[in-house]
Every structure is written in C-alpha cells, then in structure tokens.
Amino acid sequence: MAVIQLPEYIYTGMDSIGRVFDNNYKNLLLLTDTEVEKSSSVVSAFFQKAQKHSAKAEHVACNDPAEFFSLIQEKLVDETPEIVVALGDGKIIDCAMAVSSMSGIPY
C-alpha cells in the first residue's frame, strides 16, 4: 500500500479504507460519485469499518458538482464531521479539497 502525504494523507491500495480508521475518528463524511457507490463494495466496506470502530459515518454520492456541494452543505448543517473522506476520481478529490478549504474540516 502506498501513502502519499501532501499535507493531507492519500491512501491507495489494499486496506486503504481501514487506514482511515487508524486515527480513531468518530464522525466521518464520505464523498463518492454514484459510480463508486453502484459498481464496487468500497462504500459498504467503509460503513462496516465505521461500525467496527464505533464511528458515525455519513455518505454523499453525486455526479453533478453544483448539486454535490448542495448535498454536502445540507449534511454540514446538521453536524460537523471530524474528517472528509473522498473515494473516487479526481473530481471527487477536488470536491473534498474544496469542502475542506471552505469548512476547515480536514480530508
């Protein structure tokens, strides 16, 4: 497994989902596009890991950036997560960076 530190950590490869929970976060926001949600078991693995670590996890999946930000804003009104987790392509990572920059929540 590779780990890249920018100032953020980017985990890739086997058990990259599990590594997110090494930091004992208890409130996480998962961002994906709808393809990741439909075509892989990564989202369910994320929620299984969250449950195992007694962490609360919310999920936002969307393909349209404008709608994506609206959905994320709705989630942030209710509760502020400790971290934003992005699973997917560059579009999702860019959205996570923007959310992090505007809210101060690390990703």
Side-chain angles (χ1 to χ4, degrees), residues 20-21 23-31 46-47 49-51 53-59 75-85 105-107:
V20 171
F21 293 96
N23 295 309
N24 295 318
Y25 295 114
K26 295 299 178 191
N27 190 351
L28 302 94
L29 177 61
L30 174 64
L31 307 180
F46 181 85
F47 281 103
K49 293 279 187 179
Q51 185 177 20
H53 291 271
S54 301
K56 179 182 178 189
E58 295 286 333
H59 178 213
K75 291 286 185 188
L76 295 179
V77 167
D78 295 333
E79 192 169 355
T80 304
E82 294 173 83
I83 191 164
V84 173
V85 178
I105 302 166
Y107 80 98

Side-chain angles (χ1 to χ4, degrees), residues 14-102:
M14 296 298 291
D15 200 34
S16 54
I17 295 292
R19 294 300 306 267
V20 171
F21 293 96
D22 288 349
N23 295 309
N24 295 318
Y25 295 114
K26 295 299 178 191
N27 190 351
L28 302 94
L29 177 61
L30 174 64
L31 307 180
T32 69
D33 60 27
T34 56
E35 294 307 311
V36 168
E37 184 179 34
K38 292 177 189 173
S39 66
S40 73
S41 60
V42 176
V43 173
S44 62
F46 181 85
F47 281 103
Q48 287 173 356
K49 293 279 187 179
Q51 185 177 20
K52 178 181 174 187
H53 291 271
S54 301
K56 179 182 178 189
E58 295 286 333
H59 178 213
V60 177
C62 189
N63 291 331
D64 177 47
E67 184 181 349
F68 202 41
F69 279 105
S70 294
L71 293 170
I72 293 167
Q73 259 184 326
E74 290 173 17
K75 291 286 185 188
L76 295 179
V77 167
D78 295 333
E79 192 169 355
T80 304
E82 294 173 83
I83 191 164
V84 173
V85 178
L87 295 174
D89 60 13
K91 172 180 64 178
I92 300 302
I93 293 170
D94 289 346
C95 284
M97 284 192 292
V99 168
S100 176
S101 178
M102 292 187 296

